[in-house]
Amino acid sequence: MFQVNDHFGRLQGSYLFSEIARRVNEYTGENPDREIIRLGIGDVTRPLAPAVLQAIDKATQEMADEKTFMGYGPEQGYEFLRAAIREGDYAARGVDIGLDEIFVSDGSKCDTGNIQELLSPDCKIGVTNPVYPVYVDTNVMAGRSGEFDAQTGQFSEITYIPTTAENDFVPALPQRRVDVMYLCSPNNPTGTAMTKDQLKVWVDWANETGALILFDGAYERFITDGDVPHSIYEIEGAKTCAIEFRSFSKTAGFTGTRCAYTVVPKELMGQDSKGNKVSMNALWLRRHTTKFNGVSYIVQRGAAAIYTAEGKKQVEQNIEAYLANARMILDGLREIGITAYGGVNSPYVWLKTPDGMASWDFFDKLLKEANVVGTPGSGFGSAGEGYFRLTAFNTKENTEKAISRLANLK
């Protein structure tokens, strides 16, 4: 009989958000009359911007005419979208990124998982703790994790760097060998962000040690503080040590439409088992063109519309609405005596559970007594225990209701 990949057997329980969905479905099945307010999974509620819809409609009509019909496109993305990304997200901030360094995809979750295919099985992985589960789980699947220790809640071969209130949510440099470090700023789940000086420490470390930084910038559009970089490439030296992931999901409402991109600079070099330098850009191009047929033309036209004058304005209105919800959550929690962080440069608010309550216990209490869904901090790693994540992606009305219900909790 054929054998399966044993590494999958090391994965711990259900994927976090699948477990949340299971518990919510079980509760709503038993209580169909209850109004559930979801501040858990980071899905958006505001519709696509009118400029995006107009571009999608026009592209759809083009598909109905044999003269303008589009079949297979370039796997790395149409030039019109990559050019818009280069100008709107990088050149506008004084960063020079080439068209052939931008790879359009169907989601940064996919890219952050798939990128590890370029890495040797022997690479040592580092993550912040708490951490977006995909970073860990995809490396477990690839065999880099080692064994799981139930007492610590960690894998033996992964380096976990605490990012908690005790260190102001700024991860310290690792004290043991790390070849690949995942950084996310603004951070999911804590909602906090690294300043340019703080990120420069990591860039310098990576260049000195030969490590690779995988930088998840999915929430950069929510940044409001001037000393928080929107791209790691704003930091001198980052092009020789970092790959950046960006997404249109939260920033422009593409969670159901699917579009994102990854930047792999040509200056970025790894090495093979013989010590020869290897272009990471060339490897990712090979992987991308081999395993991916590209994002649909229609969706890419919609994504490009984000960078038009009207598109920028409309998307910014959505961002401002979500940030207003985040401020409402943050202020509301603090008013009722709950310690909370984030919510300024991010759509996430990270709170300490009252009276040291376990994260999943607080989840159940919130669901059953307030009919509000959040995300248990322990689902993001051992350092997330005792914390809880709320998102700002619901409507203003539902956010107000949720805070009111929280205030009435015993």
Side-chain angles (χ1 to χ4, degrees), residues 328 395-405:
M328 187 191 310
T395 64
K396 177 183 178 182
E397 294 73 22
N398 280 343
T399 303
E400 289 175 338
K401 284 182 186 178
I403 294 302
S404 176
R405 292 179 186 183

Side-chain angles (χ1 to χ4, degrees), residues 40 42 169 184-194 216-225 228-230 250-251 318-331 341-351 380 389-393:
F169 299 98
C184 178
S185 181
N187 185 265
N188 176 19
T190 68
T192 57
M194 298 174 71
D216 189 346
Y219 304 97
E220 65 83 24
R221 199 64 68 90
F222 292 89
I223 293 171
T224 57
D225 287 343
V228 174
H230 289 251
K250 310 303 195 301
T251 57
N318 287 345
I319 296 294
E320 289 175 357
Y322 290 135
L323 283 173
N325 286 347
R327 288 192 295 271
M328 187 191 310
I329 295 170
L330 188 64
D331 292 343
Y341 311 90
V344 177
N345 298 296
S346 166
Y348 297 125
V349 175
W350 188 241
L351 64 96
F380 297 101
R389 193 191 75 174
L390 295 175
T391 81
F393 289 122

